[in-house]
Structure formats: C-alpha cells, structure tokens
Amino acid sequence: MENLPEDVTGNNTANCTIDHSIHQILSPVIYILVFVVGLPANCLSLYYAYLQVKVKNELGIYLCNLTVADLFYIFSLPFWLQYVLQHDNWTYDELLCKICGILLYENIYISVGFLCCISIDRYLAVVHPFRFYQCRTMKAAIVVSIVVWTKEILTCWFVFKHGEVSKDSDSHVVCFEHYPIKDWEHNINYYRFAAGFIFPFFLLVFSYCGILRVVRKSHGTQKKKKIQIKRLVSSTIVIFLVCFGPYHVLLLVRSLFEENCTFAAAIFNSYHFSLLLTTFNCVADPVLYCFSSENTYQDFVKIGDTCLRCLRCVQIKTKESYQLNTPETFKKFKEQTELDPELLDKPHVHEMEET
C-alpha cells in the first residue's frame, strides 16, 4: 500500500519535534461532523442549484460550482481522517497525497472565488440593474466559472510541483506539511494571503456597502426582498471571515516569522485549528441557498413533497406485496376460484379481485 519516493528522506522535518495531539483529539471529530452533515447538505444544495439554473438564474451557476468544490473536498475527508488517526502517518502514495492536498487547496480558493462572484452578481443586480445586464446572464456566469476554475488549477500546478511528503522526528510520513516552512513556500503564501484573502475581502466589503446603501434608499423594494438581499451578502462575508480569516492571518505570520522549529511548535496548534475552520466552509456554504431566491421556501416544499411521494410509493408497494402474500389473501383467492373457475381465464383477475 505504501509507495513513497526514495528521496522522501531528503525532504524531511526530522529535526523538528512537534506535538501533533490536536490531530488525534479535535481533527477526527471535525472531519466526521463535516462529512456527516456536509455530504447530505451539499447534495440537497446541488439539487437546489439545479432548480435555480433551470429557471435561468445565473446565481445558480455560482452556487452549483461552490457546491461541487465542497463535495470534492468532502470526498477527501476519509483519507485525512485515516491520516490523523494514524498519528499523521501517510500510508498511501505521494500522488494521492497531492490529490488530497489539491482538493483542500481548491476548497479554500474556489469557495473564496465563488463567494466573490455571488456578491458581485448581487451588487450589479441591485446597484446597476440595467447598466451591466449582460454580465448577469447564464453565458457570462459560465465563462466566469471557467475562468475561476482555470486560474486555481494553474495555481495548484505551480504549488504542488514540489514534493508533498516528508518524514518527521518519529519517522512518520507526513503529507502536505513542512516544519519549518520551506524557502519556496514564502512567496506562495504571500500570494495566497494577498490574492486569496485581502483582495476578495475588499471585493466583499465593497459589494456589501454598495448594496446596503442602495437598499436603504430604495422605497420601491419590498421589505422582505431587502432583508433577503442583506442576508445573502452579509452571510457571504461572515462565512468568508470565520472560515478563511484566521487561516490566512496565521499563514502570513508563519511566512514572516517561522524560521526554526521552536516557532513552528509554538504556532502549530493555532495554525491547525484555523485550518480546521476552513473545513466548516463545506457546512456553511449551503446556508447561502436559504437567501438566494424569493422562492426558497416553495422550492424546499417541492423537494419535501417529492420525497414524501417517493416514500408513499414505497410504502404502498410494500403494503400491496405484503397483502398478496398473506395466508388470508391466498385463502380468499382460492375460495373465489373454487366458486368461479372462469376467473382464472380472465386477464385482470387481480384488479377484479381488489374491486
């Protein structure tokens, strides 16, 4: 099962002795919780995004991409769970380590990208409803989505061209972790902080302030619609700050000050707790669907009705199957056929029997 490169010992952190107990205590709980809650929530959100796309709402395109990014990361959680339960010892090959690392990276920055897309889309819809109408079409949303994915995939190719497995002081093969951070990571981390956090943060704040200003001045917009718009935009900012803020701040701190194992050990728990916060993004993103449409309640009612109809069909089929196989039903059918043998020759004997 273990297929690691021969030069893994050359890329090691054997001189660093760091307590990884947070991975055995907190990480498994968070991973299991996010997987159990996030998987069904995002599957439901994906269906809801489909309903939005079906009615030609460009917002559904962004929500759909956001959900797909979350689901990709959720599918990698079992591997991360096994990794932390084995005391940070990666037992798979380096390629799978890179794939899981890419899914983690993509979940952060694809999510950030589409949170910005949602906020800008609402900003244009509220502040400039006619001037930038062509930017809020289905075609434009698809083009923007392709650009976001392409940008992050190319960035991943640059980030993950280095070795992603190394050995620690316990001779465990660690994945996606270097202590202290390598020289080549500094510039990448500065880019991630600037392009993946600061710039999106200003976009979100700009959108929120513009929308809030117009909504307050508008007398024609219904109160319910105003509340819905405010909640959608404010929830994107809250998700962004809570899930991604602490991680990027500590990422910058590590890049500026982490030069030895002493500092790496001191910041280890805080940094990995912030990394766990990014995982909650997979659970928080479906909240956006509650504020993305005026017909949210009706859509969820439709979903509930569909589930109930399916459930009733299963119950009815089970009940009919049970009745046809009971001794009483067989006895009744036998008595009828004895009284009228011609029933056996009739094509719809069961239907006639039920009527």
Side-chain angles (χ1 to χ4, degrees), residues 204-263:
L204 292 175
V205 172
F206 172 79
S207 302
Y208 179 75
C209 292
I211 290 173
L212 196 61
R213 183 175 59 253
V214 171
V215 168
R216 282 178 177 174
K217 293 180 179 179
S218 175
H219 299 288
T221 307
Q222 296 180 355
K223 184 178 180 180
K224 183 179 178 181
K225 181 67 174 178
K226 289 181 179 180
I227 294 174
Q228 175 197 339
I229 294 172
K230 289 179 182 178
R231 285 179 176 176
L232 174 62
V233 180
S234 60
S235 62
T236 59
I237 295 179
V238 171
I239 290 173
F240 179 84
L241 288 177
V242 173
C243 294
F244 304 123
Y247 171 72
H248 284 91
V249 170
L250 289 175
L251 190 70
L252 179 64
V253 170
R254 287 191 66 196
S255 299
L256 290 173
F257 303 108
E258 186 173 300
E259 297 178 354
N260 52 58
C261 294
T262 303
F263 187 88

Side-chain angles (χ1 to χ4, degrees), residues 190-206:
Y190 295 145
Y191 167 79
R192 291 168 66 184
F193 179 78
F197 179 70
I198 293 297
F199 179 69
F201 175 70
F202 281 116
L203 278 181
L204 292 175
V205 172
F206 172 79

